[in-house]
Amino acid sequence: GPARSLDTGSDFTAFRTFGVIPLIFAIWAMPSATRGLRGEEEYGRWELLISSPITKRRATLATMRGLYGSLMITLVVSSVVITFTSLIWHDFTVSAGLFFALTLIATAFLFTSVGALASQIASTRRLAATQTGLVLGVSFLVRAVADSSPNIAWLHWLSPLGWITESAPLTHTRWLGLGLTFITTIMLTVLTISLSTRRDLGASLVPERMTNRDGAKISGTFSLWFKLQRANIGGWMAGFFFMSFAFGLVAHGATTAFGSSSGIQKAFASLGISKMSELFFGVIFMILTAALIFASISNASALR
């Protein structure tokens, strides 16, 4: 994101945190939402649930409450830790710390609602996860382009991840970006609950496309796994490509921002980092490694 101020610990924390943590929360929220709704319906448990006096509307609402409740626990724990830190080090006020915690977790609420809505639109959990991942990928790419130059920073307002960037916790504290995030979350949640009552069990707003699945020869376990997972593998490869492309767009601006601060240079020189490009790409490779771990877990569980 934009380096608004890097001369204090709180400013530098905000600058480094909001490039990574909201993205991780969004990646975590997507499969949780699709698994809790379309996944349970696909496995047949939803049919057993709504055969009781519980209606589809109530069941969907209860699932959403459970998903948001788990996020509220994370928010409370984060708020306590951040508030405790502010009282010890006095780098920022308690109110600024609470706003910081709320902004960190906001993307998880938003992409939980996106995943829930995709579960009503898509015919399978895998397709719902793909649609949600596409929304996240486009949001990330738009934010990365907006970060590449101050002249096009207005593109932040076209991306949910950009709304979080514009909230600027610990530096300027803008409520507009955070407000847009939660207003969108509420709207998507209401739409999800409404759609859940308008479709039959197992049905979707977008019907599954029927294709000929006999084109590939199945000669063993590996070929079967590859045929079933080739769309997932292609999605991860495309995601890695666009993530790397987006990071490349902001590399020059980020290294320039780091290099303009003598304090940052001195701090990382003690760790053996003499070039700011080494610092930037070290962080980028760490993020890509985490994404590769997510991809490995996804494909391994799919094989099982």
Side-chain angles (χ1 to χ4, degrees), residues 173-188:
T173 309
R174 300 170 180 168
W175 284 94
L176 179 58
L178 189 61
L180 285 173
T181 302
F182 282 107
I183 289 173
T184 304
T185 299
I186 294 173
M187 292 175 59
L188 294 181

Side-chain angles (χ1 to χ4, degrees), residues 43-287:
Y43 296 148
R45 302 188 186 102
W46 202 255
E47 182 177 4
L48 178 63
L49 178 65
I50 65 173
S51 64
S52 67
I54 301 176
T55 63
K56 287 188 292 183
R57 179 186 181 90
R58 288 179 58 193
T60 303
L61 181 59
T63 302
M64 298 298 295
R65 284 203 304 262
L67 292 170
Y68 291 149
S70 65
L71 295 178
M72 287 300 299
I73 296 174
T74 306
L75 175 61
V76 170
V77 174
S78 301
S79 300
V80 170
V81 173
I82 293 174
T83 300
F84 185 71
T85 303
S86 67
L87 294 175
I88 293 178
W89 297 106
H90 303 290
D91 281 336
F92 47 87
T93 63
V94 173
S95 59
L98 294 176
F99 182 81
F100 178 53
L102 185 60
T103 311
L104 278 178
I105 201 72
T107 54
F109 283 96
L110 176 60
F111 281 94
T112 295
S113 66
V114 173
L117 179 61
S119 297
Q120 308 303 317
I121 297 175
S123 56
T124 63
R125 180 198 169 190
R126 182 177 302 174
L127 183 57
T130 301
Q131 293 174 351
T132 311
L134 181 62
V135 174
L136 177 61
V138 172
S139 299
F140 180 82
L141 183 61
V142 172
R143 190 190 71 171
V145 172
D147 289 341
S148 64
S149 173
N151 297 327
I152 55 175
W154 57 270
L155 287 175
H156 279 141
W157 298 107
L158 301 181
S159 166
L161 293 177
W163 299 344
I164 299 301
T165 300
E166 289 298 326
S167 298
L170 303 183
T171 56
H172 295 83
T173 309
R174 300 170 180 168
W175 284 94
L176 179 58
L178 189 61
L180 285 173
T181 302
F182 282 107
I183 289 173
T184 304
T185 299
I186 294 173
M187 292 175 59
L188 294 181
T189 301
V190 172
L191 183 59
T192 297
I193 297 173
S194 175
L195 292 178
S196 68
T197 63
R198 297 175 182 270
R199 64 178 181 85
D200 294 331
L201 184 68
S204 59
L205 296 183
V206 178
E208 183 177 9
R209 186 179 61 179
M210 304 303 294
T211 58
N212 182 10
R213 299 178 181 270
D214 299 327
K217 181 180 179 181
I218 304 300
S219 59
T221 304
F222 178 80
S223 60
L224 174 61
W225 167 80
F226 181 76
K227 180 180 180 181
L228 295 175
Q229 294 300 313
R230 56 191 175 188
N232 189 30
I233 295 172
W236 278 107
M237 291 179 64
F240 286 130
F241 172 80
F242 284 111
M243 283 181 66
S244 303
F245 176 75
F247 285 136
L249 288 177
V250 302
H252 178 73
T255 53
T256 301
F258 286 138
S260 62
S261 173
S262 58
I264 294 178
Q265 292 181 353
K266 183 178 179 180
F268 286 100
S270 62
L271 301 177
I273 300 175
S274 58
K275 297 180 180 179
M276 292 300 101
S277 58
E278 295 176 354
L279 169 63
F280 176 77
F281 285 106
V283 174
I284 296 310
F285 291 150
M286 180 182 68
I287 296 174

